[in-house]
Amino acid sequence: EADIYQTPRYLVIGTGKKITLECSQTMGHDKMYWYQQDPGMELHLIHYSYGVNSTEKGDLSSESTVSRIRTEHFPLTLESARPSHTSQYLCASAGEEETQYFGPGTRLLVL
Amino acid sequence: GDSVTQMEGPVTLSEEAFLTINCTYTATGYPSLFWYVQYPGEGLQLLLKATKADDKGSNKGFEATYRKETTSFHLEKGSVQVSDSAVYFCALSSNTGNQFYFGTGTSLTVIP
């Protein structure tokens, strides 16, 4: 069973605020990912990391940024939230066996 | 490039009906294949996986066989329950393990 945590689970915030979505895993996985999930269910990769101090942008352009200072921690930051950022954000991690393990998600609503 | 094509939903079945959700893939080499399930309000959970041709993944009554000749990994269950209502995602991990591709998801509703 994978141990990957996301906080907060739900967030309602006003336009222009800075927010950080937290993601932590206790499995020692090198690879971590952030996905944005449409209401229509499709997953879009927005950021990934293959290890400490390594971060890359994914397929979907995003105004968010990420950092990977510690193996277990991969926070995602929005400097100025907008209504278009309203979505569900899923964090995942993977070890050498390739399987991705997901956190419970953060549902963000920007008013 | 690598990709996954998944049967579109939504799918509605009566309890105890047979389920098939089709998934085909395009990939170079020998990818690993996965099915994930997402219950309402939650993240994705690994349901089953197969790492080489002819492997069969199985879990909770669900099965899928890695068919290289038809590039398919269809999900099946002989008798669905109301508790199986969820969204199901087919996924592929490339040869290198550094790229992961998801299908668009299939919503399943099982009615009593």
Side-chain angles (χ1 to χ4, degrees), chain A residues 53-81:
Chain A
N53 295 325
S54 151
T55 61
E56 301 286 345
K57 288 187 179 294
D59 305 321
L60 180 69
S61 175
S62 174
E63 292 161 351
S64 58
T65 59
V66 291
S67 63
R68 190 88 183 276
I69 298 171
R70 303 197 314 267
T71 297
E72 63 271 22
H73 195 213
F74 191 43
L76 180 145
T77 297
L78 276 166
E79 291 291 335
S80 180

mmCIF file of all heavy atoms in Angstrom, chain A residues 53-81:
data_model
loop_
_atom_site.group_PDB
_atom_site.id
_atom_site.type_symbol
_atom_site.label_atom_id
_atom_site.label_comp_id
_atom_site.label_asym_id
_atom_site.label_seq_id
_atom_site.Cartn_x
_atom_site.Cartn_y
_atom_site.Cartn_z
ATOM 1 N N ASN A 53 16.149 18.332 -6.801
ATOM 2 C CA ASN A 53 16.631 19.426 -7.656
ATOM 3 C C ASN A 53 16.353 19.223 -9.142
ATOM 4 O O ASN A 53 16.918 19.941 -9.978
ATOM 5 C CB ASN A 53 18.130 19.684 -7.436
ATOM 6 C CG ASN A 53 18.424 20.185 -6.038
ATOM 7 O OD1 ASN A 53 17.629 20.925 -5.448
ATOM 8 N ND2 ASN A 53 19.547 19.771 -5.476
ATOM 9 N N SER A 54 15.512 18.266 -9.466
ATOM 10 C CA SER A 54 15.104 18.031 -10.847
ATOM 11 C C SER A 54 13.621 18.296 -10.990
ATOM 12 O O SER A 54 12.811 17.670 -10.289
ATOM 13 C CB SER A 54 15.390 16.577 -11.227
ATOM 14 O OG SER A 54 14.494 16.114 -12.217
ATOM 15 N N THR A 55 13.233 19.236 -11.863
ATOM 16 C CA THR A 55 11.812 19.465 -12.153
ATOM 17 C C THR A 55 11.665 19.773 -13.635
ATOM 18 O O THR A 55 12.537 20.404 -14.241
ATOM 19 C CB THR A 55 11.213 20.640 -11.345
ATOM 20 O OG1 THR A 55 11.905 21.841 -11.670
ATOM 21 C CG2 THR A 55 11.294 20.390 -9.848
ATOM 22 N N GLU A 56 10.533 19.310 -14.194
ATOM 23 C CA GLU A 56 10.263 19.525 -15.608
ATOM 24 C C GLU A 56 8.790 19.872 -15.774
ATOM 25 O O GLU A 56 7.941 19.431 -14.987
ATOM 26 C CB GLU A 56 10.544 18.244 -16.413
ATOM 27 C CG GLU A 56 11.959 17.726 -16.316
ATOM 28 C CD GLU A 56 12.948 18.552 -17.100
ATOM 29 O OE1 GLU A 56 12.517 19.354 -17.945
ATOM 30 O OE2 GLU A 56 14.179 18.407 -16.855
ATOM 31 N N LYS A 57 8.495 20.627 -16.838
ATOM 32 C CA LYS A 57 7.102 20.903 -17.162
ATOM 33 C C LYS A 57 6.524 19.724 -17.938
ATOM 34 O O LYS A 57 7.211 19.060 -18.729
ATOM 35 C CB LYS A 57 7.000 22.182 -17.994
ATOM 36 C CG LYS A 57 7.278 23.450 -17.185
ATOM 37 C CD LYS A 57 7.002 24.676 -17.998
ATOM 38 C CE LYS A 57 7.241 25.948 -17.211
ATOM 39 N NZ LYS A 57 6.291 26.101 -16.094
ATOM 40 N N GLY A 58 5.248 19.505 -17.742
ATOM 41 C CA GLY A 58 4.576 18.407 -18.422
ATOM 42 C C GLY A 58 3.943 18.843 -19.724
ATOM 43 O O GLY A 58 4.318 19.850 -20.319
ATOM 44 N N ASP A 59 2.955 18.059 -20.142
ATOM 45 C CA ASP A 59 2.337 18.272 -21.444
ATOM 46 C C ASP A 59 1.410 19.472 -21.467
ATOM 47 O O ASP A 59 1.234 20.121 -22.491
ATOM 48 C CB ASP A 59 1.535 17.024 -21.848
ATOM 49 C CG ASP A 59 2.404 15.788 -21.801
ATOM 50 O OD1 ASP A 59 3.578 15.877 -22.186
ATOM 51 O OD2 ASP A 59 1.896 14.736 -21.366
ATOM 52 N N LEU A 60 0.784 19.752 -20.340
ATOM 53 C CA LEU A 60 -0.182 20.836 -20.272
ATOM 54 C C LEU A 60 0.503 22.068 -19.699
ATOM 55 O O LEU A 60 1.104 22.023 -18.624
ATOM 56 C CB LEU A 60 -1.378 20.449 -19.400
ATOM 57 C CG LEU A 60 -2.472 21.519 -19.257
ATOM 58 C CD1 LEU A 60 -3.197 21.718 -20.577
ATOM 59 C CD2 LEU A 60 -3.465 21.126 -18.163
ATOM 60 N N SER A 61 0.427 23.155 -20.434
ATOM 61 C CA SER A 61 1.010 24.397 -19.950
ATOM 62 C C SER A 61 0.298 24.831 -18.679
ATOM 63 O O SER A 61 -0.923 24.797 -18.588
ATOM 64 C CB SER A 61 0.855 25.471 -21.023
ATOM 65 O OG SER A 61 1.302 26.714 -20.526
ATOM 66 N N SER A 62 1.079 25.209 -17.710
ATOM 67 C CA SER A 62 0.508 25.592 -16.424
ATOM 68 C C SER A 62 1.244 26.797 -15.884
ATOM 69 O O SER A 62 2.448 26.936 -16.076
ATOM 70 C CB SER A 62 0.610 24.427 -15.437
ATOM 71 O OG SER A 62 0.193 24.827 -14.152
ATOM 72 N N GLU A 63 0.526 27.660 -15.194
ATOM 73 C CA GLU A 63 1.146 28.827 -14.570
ATOM 74 C C GLU A 63 1.693 28.497 -13.192
ATOM 75 O O GLU A 63 2.207 29.367 -12.509
ATOM 76 C CB GLU A 63 0.116 29.957 -14.500
ATOM 77 C CG GLU A 63 -0.226 30.478 -15.889
ATOM 78 C CD GLU A 63 -1.527 31.241 -15.913
ATOM 79 O OE1 GLU A 63 -2.256 31.231 -14.914
ATOM 80 O OE2 GLU A 63 -1.840 31.857 -16.944
ATOM 81 N N SER A 64 1.607 27.260 -12.785
ATOM 82 C CA SER A 64 2.120 26.855 -11.495
ATOM 83 C C SER A 64 3.618 26.552 -11.577
ATOM 84 O O SER A 64 4.173 26.387 -12.664
ATOM 85 C CB SER A 64 1.376 25.607 -11.008
ATOM 86 O OG SER A 64 1.515 24.561 -11.951
ATOM 87 N N THR A 65 4.242 26.508 -10.405
ATOM 88 C CA THR A 65 5.646 26.107 -10.304
ATOM 89 C C THR A 65 5.774 25.036 -9.242
ATOM 90 O O THR A 65 4.906 24.891 -8.379
ATOM 91 C CB THR A 65 6.547 27.299 -9.931
ATOM 92 O OG1 THR A 65 6.109 27.834 -8.674
ATOM 93 C CG2 THR A 65 6.507 28.381 -10.998
ATOM 94 N N VAL A 66 6.854 24.273 -9.309
ATOM 95 C CA VAL A 66 7.110 23.213 -8.330
ATOM 96 C C VAL A 66 8.550 23.302 -7.868
ATOM 97 O O VAL A 66 9.384 23.964 -8.494
ATOM 98 C CB VAL A 66 6.865 21.810 -8.923
ATOM 99 C CG1 VAL A 66 5.379 21.585 -9.198
ATOM 100 C CG2 VAL A 66 7.683 21.590 -10.188
ATOM 101 N N SER A 67 8.820 22.618 -6.775
ATOM 102 C CA SER A 67 10.184 22.498 -6.278
ATOM 103 C C SER A 67 10.376 21.094 -5.724
ATOM 104 O O SER A 67 9.407 20.429 -5.336
ATOM 105 C CB SER A 67 10.469 23.537 -5.191
ATOM 106 O OG SER A 67 9.627 23.332 -4.069
ATOM 107 N N ARG A 68 11.634 20.654 -5.713
ATOM 108 C CA ARG A 68 11.945 19.315 -5.168
ATOM 109 C C ARG A 68 13.264 19.426 -4.406
ATOM 110 O O ARG A 68 14.327 19.103 -4.903
ATOM 111 C CB ARG A 68 12.064 18.308 -6.308
ATOM 112 C CG ARG A 68 12.150 16.877 -5.816
ATOM 113 C CD ARG A 68 10.827 16.249 -5.625
ATOM 114 N NE ARG A 68 10.895 14.908 -5.080
ATOM 115 C CZ ARG A 68 11.097 13.809 -5.808
ATOM 116 N NH1 ARG A 68 11.303 13.901 -7.116
ATOM 117 N NH2 ARG A 68 11.116 12.628 -5.228
ATOM 118 N N ILE A 69 13.140 19.892 -3.187
ATOM 119 C CA ILE A 69 14.312 20.090 -2.343
ATOM 120 C C ILE A 69 14.603 18.839 -1.530
ATOM 121 O O ILE A 69 15.762 18.548 -1.191
ATOM 122 C CB ILE A 69 14.101 21.307 -1.423
ATOM 123 C CG1 ILE A 69 13.922 22.561 -2.270
ATOM 124 C CG2 ILE A 69 15.262 21.486 -0.471
ATOM 125 C CD1 ILE A 69 13.495 23.771 -1.480
ATOM 126 N N ARG A 70 13.533 18.092 -1.242
ATOM 127 C CA ARG A 70 13.687 16.829 -0.513
ATOM 128 C C ARG A 70 12.996 15.732 -1.306
ATOM 129 O O ARG A 70 12.005 15.968 -1.986
ATOM 130 C CB ARG A 70 13.071 16.915 0.877
ATOM 131 C CG ARG A 70 13.609 18.025 1.739
ATOM 132 C CD ARG A 70 13.276 17.805 3.207
ATOM 133 N NE ARG A 70 11.901 17.410 3.459
ATOM 134 C CZ ARG A 70 10.925 18.270 3.748
ATOM 135 N NH1 ARG A 70 11.164 19.557 3.782
ATOM 136 N NH2 ARG A 70 9.705 17.830 3.991
ATOM 137 N N THR A 71 13.494 14.540 -1.203
ATOM 138 C CA THR A 71 12.942 13.411 -1.954
ATOM 139 C C THR A 71 11.454 13.241 -1.690
ATOM 140 O O THR A 71 10.676 12.975 -2.605
ATOM 141 C CB THR A 71 13.677 12.100 -1.584
ATOM 142 O OG1 THR A 71 15.036 12.220 -1.956
ATOM 143 C CG2 THR A 71 13.050 10.905 -2.289
ATOM 144 N N GLU A 72 11.054 13.401 -0.454
ATOM 145 C CA GLU A 72 9.690 13.058 -0.072
ATOM 146 C C GLU A 72 8.671 14.171 -0.322
ATOM 147 O O GLU A 72 7.479 13.951 -0.159
ATOM 148 C CB GLU A 72 9.642 12.666 1.411
ATOM 149 C CG GLU A 72 10.032 13.766 2.380
ATOM 150 C CD GLU A 72 11.524 13.795 2.667
ATOM 151 O OE1 GLU A 72 12.319 13.274 1.856
ATOM 152 O OE2 GLU A 72 11.895 14.351 3.726
ATOM 153 N N HIS A 73 9.104 15.337 -0.742
ATOM 154 C CA HIS A 73 8.222 16.498 -0.757
ATOM 155 C C HIS A 73 8.238 17.155 -2.136
ATOM 156 O O HIS A 73 9.327 17.434 -2.682
ATOM 157 C CB HIS A 73 8.709 17.481 0.310
ATOM 158 C CG HIS A 73 7.735 18.540 0.650
ATOM 159 N ND1 HIS A 73 8.115 19.813 1.021
ATOM 160 C CD2 HIS A 73 6.382 18.532 0.701
ATOM 161 C CE1 HIS A 73 7.058 20.538 1.260
ATOM 162 N NE2 HIS A 73 5.983 19.785 1.080
ATOM 163 N N PHE A 74 7.041 17.438 -2.691
ATOM 164 C CA PHE A 74 6.942 17.996 -4.042
ATOM 165 C C PHE A 74 5.788 18.994 -4.082
ATOM 166 O O PHE A 74 4.734 18.730 -4.658
ATOM 167 C CB PHE A 74 6.730 16.842 -5.033
ATOM 168 C CG PHE A 74 6.856 17.198 -6.482
ATOM 169 C CD1 PHE A 74 7.872 18.031 -6.947
ATOM 170 C CD2 PHE A 74 5.990 16.648 -7.437
ATOM 171 C CE1 PHE A 74 8.011 18.326 -8.292
ATOM 172 C CE2 PHE A 74 6.130 16.927 -8.782
ATOM 173 C CZ PHE A 74 7.130 17.764 -9.214
ATOM 174 N N PRO A 75 5.969 20.170 -3.520
ATOM 175 C CA PRO A 75 4.870 21.136 -3.465
ATOM 176 C C PRO A 75 4.657 21.858 -4.790
ATOM 177 O O PRO A 75 5.603 22.075 -5.558
ATOM 178 C CB PRO A 75 5.337 22.123 -2.383
ATOM 179 C CG PRO A 75 6.826 22.025 -2.428
ATOM 180 C CD PRO A 75 7.151 20.605 -2.784
ATOM 181 N N LEU A 76 3.418 22.245 -5.019
ATOM 182 C CA LEU A 76 3.038 22.986 -6.214
ATOM 183 C C LEU A 76 2.506 24.348 -5.782
ATOM 184 O O LEU A 76 1.671 24.426 -4.885
ATOM 185 C CB LEU A 76 1.967 22.202 -6.991
ATOM 186 C CG LEU A 76 1.444 22.818 -8.288
ATOM 187 C CD1 LEU A 76 1.148 21.737 -9.318
ATOM 188 C CD2 LEU A 76 0.197 23.649 -8.050
ATOM 189 N N THR A 77 2.985 25.404 -6.430
ATOM 190 C CA THR A 77 2.627 26.771 -6.033
ATOM 191 C C THR A 77 1.994 27.525 -7.195
ATOM 192 O O THR A 77 2.479 27.459 -8.334
ATOM 193 C CB THR A 77 3.873 27.536 -5.562
ATOM 194 O OG1 THR A 77 4.396 26.883 -4.399
ATOM 195 C CG2 THR A 77 3.520 28.976 -5.204
ATOM 196 N N LEU A 78 0.917 28.232 -6.875
ATOM 197 C CA LEU A 78 0.312 29.187 -7.803
ATOM 198 C C LEU A 78 0.523 30.569 -7.211
ATOM 199 O O LEU A 78 0.030 30.858 -6.115
ATOM 200 C CB LEU A 78 -1.182 28.910 -7.953
ATOM 201 C CG LEU A 78 -1.605 27.840 -8.940
ATOM 202 C CD1 LEU A 78 -3.051 27.447 -8.733
ATOM 203 C CD2 LEU A 78 -1.388 28.332 -10.368
ATOM 204 N N GLU A 79 1.255 31.420 -7.915
ATOM 205 C CA GLU A 79 1.587 32.746 -7.370
ATOM 206 C C GLU A 79 0.365 33.651 -7.289
ATOM 207 O O GLU A 79 0.235 34.453 -6.378
ATOM 208 C CB GLU A 79 2.655 33.407 -8.228
ATOM 209 C CG GLU A 79 4.016 32.750 -8.128
ATOM 210 C CD GLU A 79 4.669 32.953 -6.758
ATOM 211 O OE1 GLU A 79 4.345 33.941 -6.066
ATOM 212 O OE2 GLU A 79 5.490 32.092 -6.372
ATOM 213 N N SER A 80 -0.537 33.507 -8.261
ATOM 214 C CA SER A 80 -1.722 34.361 -8.299
ATOM 215 C C SER A 80 -2.875 33.550 -8.877
ATOM 216 O O SER A 80 -2.989 33.395 -10.095
ATOM 217 C CB SER A 80 -1.441 35.596 -9.160
ATOM 218 O OG SER A 80 -2.576 36.430 -9.211
ATOM 219 N N ALA A 81 -3.706 33.045 -7.989
ATOM 220 C CA ALA A 81 -4.770 32.136 -8.425
ATOM 221 C C ALA A 81 -5.824 32.870 -9.243
ATOM 222 O O ALA A 81 -6.146 34.041 -8.972
ATOM 223 C CB ALA A 81 -5.404 31.466 -7.210
#
